[in-house]
Amino acid sequence: MLKKWITAALLITISLLLIIIAYLLYSGQQNDSNSAPSSSSSLAQSTSSSNSSSSSETDGNLLSLDKIKSIFYQRYNGTSITSIEYEKTLFSKYYEITGVDDDTEYTLKINADTGKVISHNKETLDADEANGIEKQQKAINFDEIISLKDAISKAENSAGDSSVEGWSLDKEDGTTQWEIALKTSNGNVSIKIDAKSGQVLDQETDD
């Protein structure tokens, strides 16, 4: 009789152990399953952060051309932009935008990082520029030009290893032009590019 009780107790103990082991294995699988999305999510966040950082390094956190135009047009509604210039000094980076209506020329200087207005000015056009003449001759059609990124790429291809020091966009003798200022190991290079065709028009090196 005692042997039967011992055998039964052993069977019950073994059964309980098997149940506990099965439970622990099941719990482990559930934890692994739950942790996988978290790991994937962390990887996605890491990749996103990396891409964001790369994008920031590429554009230098500068205002886009569309944002520059928007800031100017909000202040001077009904005008046409005739030139945009980007320059950087030892202590600052800025855009200077010029535009006209039929009788007045407006100039706006803004911080290239924040868009904050640094200065603004307006002056009456001369008689030979007024009545919409300057506007008709110098206004830039942004729908017909290559992007700034493409212009810089073409300039860098022409100059070789270099870094951008500044750029401008305006009309000269009826041709809309990008002018890209680059710094190379051989000196500063200025390259003019036809803003419509992308053709390099001129290249000057300042030793």
Side-chain angles (χ1 to χ4, degrees):
M1 186 71 179
L2 181 59
K3 287 183 178 180
K4 289 184 178 180
W5 279 107
I6 293 172
T7 302
L10 286 172
L11 289 173
I12 292 172
T13 302
I14 291 171
S15 297
L16 288 173
L17 286 173
L18 289 173
I19 291 171
I20 292 171
I21 290 170
Y23 175 79
L24 290 174
L25 289 172
Y26 176 80
S27 297
Q29 289 178 347
Q30 286 294 102
N31 289 337
D32 288 343
S33 175
N34 290 335
S35 65
S38 176
S39 175
S40 175
S41 176
S42 297
L43 178 60
Q45 290 178 355
S46 175
T47 303
S48 174
S49 175
S50 175
N51 289 341
S52 175
S53 174
S54 175
S55 175
S56 295
E57 289 174 3
T58 300
D59 60 27
N61 295 321
L62 299 179
L63 300 176
S64 68
L65 194 60
D66 285 340
K67 183 62 177 178
I68 297 166
K69 290 157 52 183
S70 175
I71 292 172
F72 186 86
Y73 289 139
Q74 284 177 6
R75 178 177 282 265
Y76 302 117
N77 187 31
T79 61
S80 293
I81 292 176
T82 56
S83 71
I84 302 176
E85 182 176 8
Y86 165 66
E87 287 192 16
K88 60 180 180 179
T89 66
L90 188 61
F91 302 105
S92 67
K93 294 173 286 187
Y94 65 87
Y95 294 109
E96 186 167 292
I97 311 105
T98 302
V100 296
D101 56 21
D102 286 346
D103 301 298
T104 306
E105 180 180 78
Y106 306 89
T107 302
L108 183 66
K109 189 174 180 179
I110 61 175
N111 183 288
D113 292 309
T114 65
K116 182 178 180 181
V117 174
I118 298 172
S119 65
H120 56 90
N121 185 47
K122 67 177 182 177
E123 60 180 67
T124 302
L125 292 169
D126 294 336
D128 60 343
E129 300 172 326
N131 299 314
I133 295 175
E134 181 81 353
K135 187 175 183 179
Q136 183 178 7
Q137 293 179 345
K138 298 292 183 66
I140 296 170
N141 186 343
F142 290 94
D143 294 330
E144 297 181 352
I145 64 173
I146 65 173
S147 68
L148 172 60
K149 181 179 179 180
D150 286 344
I152 290 175
S153 177
K154 290 178 182 296
E156 289 177 333
N157 287 339
S158 180
D161 189 28
S162 56
S163 60
V164 177
E165 293 294 297
W167 56 262
S168 64
L169 174 66
D170 59 15
K171 261 187 177 181
E172 187 174 319
D173 298 326
T175 301
T176 306
Q177 300 179 358
W178 287 106
E179 183 170 359
I180 312 297
L182 301 170
K183 185 176 182 179
T184 73
S185 58
N186 296 321
N188 296 324
V189 179
S190 177
I191 299 178
K192 291 183 178 180
I193 297 171
D194 187 313
K196 289 186 178 181
S197 68
Q199 179 184 355
V200 174
L201 301 173
D202 185 47
Q203 180 169 328
E204 296 181 359
T205 301
D206 181 11
D207 298 332

